[in-house]
Amino acid sequence: MAPPPPPLLVAALLLFLVPFASASASAERADLVVTRADRRVDLTSHIVRVLTSLKVENIGPEAVSQVLLAFPNAQAKNLAAIRAFGTEGKVKGPSTVLPIEVVQPSGVPPELTFFSASLSKALEKGKTLHLDVLTVFTHSLQPFPEEITQAESQLVVYQDSAHYLSPYPVKVQTFSIRLPGGRVESYTKYPNTKLADSELKYGPFEDLPPFSYSPMVVHFENNNPFAVAKEVIREIEISHWGNVQITEHYNIAHGGAKLKGEFSRIDYQSRPYIRGVSSFRHLIARLPPRAHSIYYRDEIGNISTSHLWSDSKKTQLEVEPRFPLFGGWQTTFTIGYGLPLQDFVFNSDGKRSLNITFGSPMEEILIEKLIVKVVLPEGSMDIDVSVPFPTKQWQEVKYSHLDIAGRPVVVLEKPDVIPEHNLYFQVYYRFNNISLLREPMMLIIGFFLIFMACIVYMRTDMSISKNSPSYLAKVQWDEVQSIIQKILAIFEQCLAVHDKLEASLHDLSRSGDVQSCKATRKAADAQFKELAKELKPLLTSLQSSHQSYQIWLKVENLVAKERELQEKLMARHSTVVDSFEKKLRGQDVENRIATQQQKVAALRQEVESLLEYISEM
């Protein structure tokens, strides 16, 4: 494959070689010279780390309190972290961290971004400073080609300068690049360039003027995971009942060369390291040693393709998404775990402090936008935050179960977060231990009130007063209903006697036993008299009740109809018995009782209808 075209960065730097003379003059006034510069670039990951070791000497008459570091603007915009460590003396000893800030010196090219490393002690004339500068860059490895098939390896391009870009003269300089292994398509060659195994070396270069620049490009294979989180929301919820709950929501994409063509699951499963060499299928999260209650899930539910290893020193969680991630693919998931409160929250001088890491526990992940939410207990006051790097901060309120005023939430937001940002930060606040009893007391009081309400309800007579008109009316209506039920029962017995008389007539027509039929008639007469005696006082009580005015007319009508039915039925019975005694023919008997039969049937139907109507009332 042909090497990629020279980057715009090289062209831009070549354009400002002319103003370097004025910049050099300005830098020379500082009277500093870099006697040796060793740069080591690590390209084994998609996050580029550059460690520059400088040996700086003050050859001027005055002491110097700062050292300038220069970067091209195109490179500075991808700078995620920069740290400097310095020690004074001809022999390198223990280093101290030096504060760094962005500066804009006079007389320098506008295409450069400058940082100033402030020395803890001014560098006197003739003294030597050993300065180590760690810089971490994101999005510095560009896929080339930008699209590859499932079976192709991923090739990327890295562009830099073989010379150390410095505002000071450099006497001796070396430059080395550590590659991830695999093939190297092409690289810029100079007379003193050497590629051995997975390391590309340039130099040494001697007596370089200020702002010396020598463009270089290396095109190589890198199939390591290009894990880029578009957004991560990390929620840290403190409970003074003994737990710190961590919940992290990830939206992760593969930031490498995009997949071209279709994806074959069969090819991938049969030869994943050949037919999916540029993809990644798992991530490693290094959790605190005593992490517990760990879970890993997405929108569908729990994901079982995860592995956990833990011992007294560490807890390691391997998360595997539901599908491998190729270039341009993305997935979302959530991990959560609990931590012991005493390991991360401390109490000093009446003020509590949370001391926990800022970034993600995932290895080698770039987070384009990280939001950290620290949920403090309800009632926390005097909140203060200490973060070792600039962040956007604000506060909000979160309501949870049994909250009244809500829980204060400290929100920290930072772009381009890398593993180097996984440093400890502190949140200070005041919290009264009495507030711990608020929720338990609310539960106790709530249950107490419920039980008291139940006791009062069970012991309170909720019935209406016995002297009230409504209660008296209800009692009277209950009495009326009781009388009605008794009356209905008597009429049901009367109908049963009617049925016996009908049955005796049928038996007479079959057997001709007149005496048996007369006996049945005599028994029926006796039962009718007994039922009439029982009915009379009930009718008197019903008629005298004020609540029976709606039903009395129906009952009265029922009594009249039943008596008429009884009379008609007795008359027909006498006619049939008399006919049989005179030994009349069957047809003659039918003719004599035809009219009576129709009248009895009609009355029987009316009585049954009235009984049904009254029972429904």
Side-chain angles (χ1 to χ4, degrees), residues 166-178:
S166 172
Y168 310 111
V170 180
K171 291 185 178 181
V172 179
Q173 183 237 314
T174 61
F175 179 48
S176 64
I177 300 177
R178 181 187 174 192

Side-chain angles (χ1 to χ4, degrees), residues 223-237:
N223 291 311
N224 291 323
F226 275 43
V228 179
K230 301 298 182 181
E231 182 180 68
V232 174
I233 300 178
R234 188 166 188 250
E235 185 175 271
I236 305 169
E237 185 168 356

Side-chain angles (χ1 to χ4, degrees), residues 443-456:
L443 289 174
I444 293 172
I445 294 174
F447 281 113
F448 175 77
L449 293 177
I450 291 175
F451 291 145
M452 289 300 297
C454 293
I455 292 172
V456 171

Side-chain angles (χ1 to χ4, degrees), residues 66 104 152 165 174 241 282 298 317 330 381 505 514 517 533:
Q66 64 177 6
Q104 187 61 42
E152 290 182 309
L165 183 61
T174 61
W241 291 102
H282 67 267
D298 60 7
L317 175 65
Q330 64 180 9
M381 302 176 294
L505 293 179
V514 176
C517 188
K533 290 180 181 180

Side-chain angles (χ1 to χ4, degrees), residues 187-483:
Y187 61 91
T188 304
K189 298 180 180 179
Y190 289 103
N192 50 357
T193 303
K194 180 181 179 182
L195 175 62
D197 296 331
S198 298
E199 188 172 16
L200 180 61
K201 295 183 178 181
Y202 289 90
F205 304 102
E206 298 181 353
D207 298 326
L208 300 178
F211 298 103
S212 177
Y213 186 84
S214 181
M216 60 78 55
V217 178
V218 58
H219 188 204
F220 61 98
E221 179 182 350
N222 188 345
N223 291 311
N224 291 323
F226 275 43
V228 179
K230 301 298 182 181
E231 182 180 68
V232 174
I233 300 178
R234 188 166 188 250
E235 185 175 271
I236 305 169
E237 185 168 356
I238 300 175
S239 171
H240 281 282
W241 291 102
N243 189 58
V244 177
Q245 182 63 36
I246 311 293
T247 307
E248 300 173 351
H249 306 276
Y250 289 87
N251 181 6
I252 289 184
H254 189 308
K258 295 183 178 180
L259 180 64
K260 179 175 62 176
E262 296 182 351
F263 167 69
S264 173
R265 170 68 71 174
I266 297 178
D267 290 345
Y268 181 83
Q269 290 182 341
S270 61
R271 294 181 293 176
Y273 297 104
I274 298 177
R275 293 294 181 176
V277 63
S278 64
S279 67
F280 66 89
R281 61 187 306 168
H282 67 267
L283 295 169
I284 301 296
R286 299 193 180 276
L287 309 179
R290 300 175 64 186
H292 61 86
S293 304
I294 302 171
Y295 63 86
Y296 166 47
R297 63 170 181 253
D298 60 7
E299 294 179 351
I300 300 177
N302 184 58
I303 305 177
S304 59
T305 54
S306 62
H307 306 280
L308 181 68
W309 299 271
S310 62
D311 53 32
S312 59
K313 296 182 179 179
K314 68 178 183 302
T315 300
Q316 180 173 302
L317 175 65
E318 180 184 84
V319 298
E320 184 176 338
R322 296 186 184 272
F323 50 86
L325 290 183
F326 286 86
W329 291 16
Q330 64 180 9
T331 184
T332 59
F333 59 86
T334 300
I335 64 172
Y337 50 93
L339 300 173
L341 180 72
Q342 63 271 19
D343 292 353
F344 298 91
V345 177
F346 308 94
N347 192 357
S348 178
D349 299 331
K351 201 166 190 179
R352 302 174 190 266
S353 62
L354 169 70
N355 187 43
I356 200 168
T357 52
F358 180 82
S360 167
M362 296 289 182
E363 289 184 346
E364 291 303 303
I365 185 173
L366 166 62
I367 304 175
E368 295 183 347
K369 180 182 179 181
L370 173 63
I371 299 177
V372 178
K373 296 183 177 182
V374 181
V375 184
L376 301 176
E378 187 179 23
S380 300
M381 302 176 294
D382 300 337
I383 302 171
D384 191 18
V385 183
S386 176
V387 187
F389 35 76
T391 59
K392 182 180 178 181
Q393 303 180 12
W394 69 91
Q395 291 189 16
E396 56 188 34
V397 178
K398 177 183 178 180
Y399 289 91
S400 185
H401 50 273
L402 299 179
D403 286 344
I404 299 176
R407 306 183 184 191
V409 180
V410 177
V411 184
L412 309 174
E413 181 180 328
K414 181 174 176 57
D416 294 332
V417 176
I418 54 175
E420 280 72 13
H421 289 130
N422 202 15
L423 303 175
Y424 282 89
F425 74 102
Q426 295 77 37
V427 178
Y428 302 94
Y429 63 98
R430 293 187 182 276
F431 182 75
N432 193 339
N433 286 332
I434 298 179
S435 299
L436 284 173
L437 303 177
R438 178 183 301 172
E439 293 182 358
M441 290 303 298
M442 290 175 62
L443 289 174
I444 293 172
I445 294 174
F447 281 113
F448 175 77
L449 293 177
I450 291 175
F451 291 145
M452 289 300 297
C454 293
I455 292 172
V456 171
Y457 175 78
M458 295 299 294
R459 293 181 175 272
T460 302
D461 186 6
M462 305 298 290
S463 62
I464 303 173
S465 173
K466 296 181 179 180
N467 295 324
S468 63
S470 57
Y471 178 77
L472 295 175
K474 182 178 181 302
V475 172
Q476 292 176 0
W477 176 246
D478 291 340
E479 292 176 354
V480 168
Q481 286 184 321
S482 178
I483 294 172

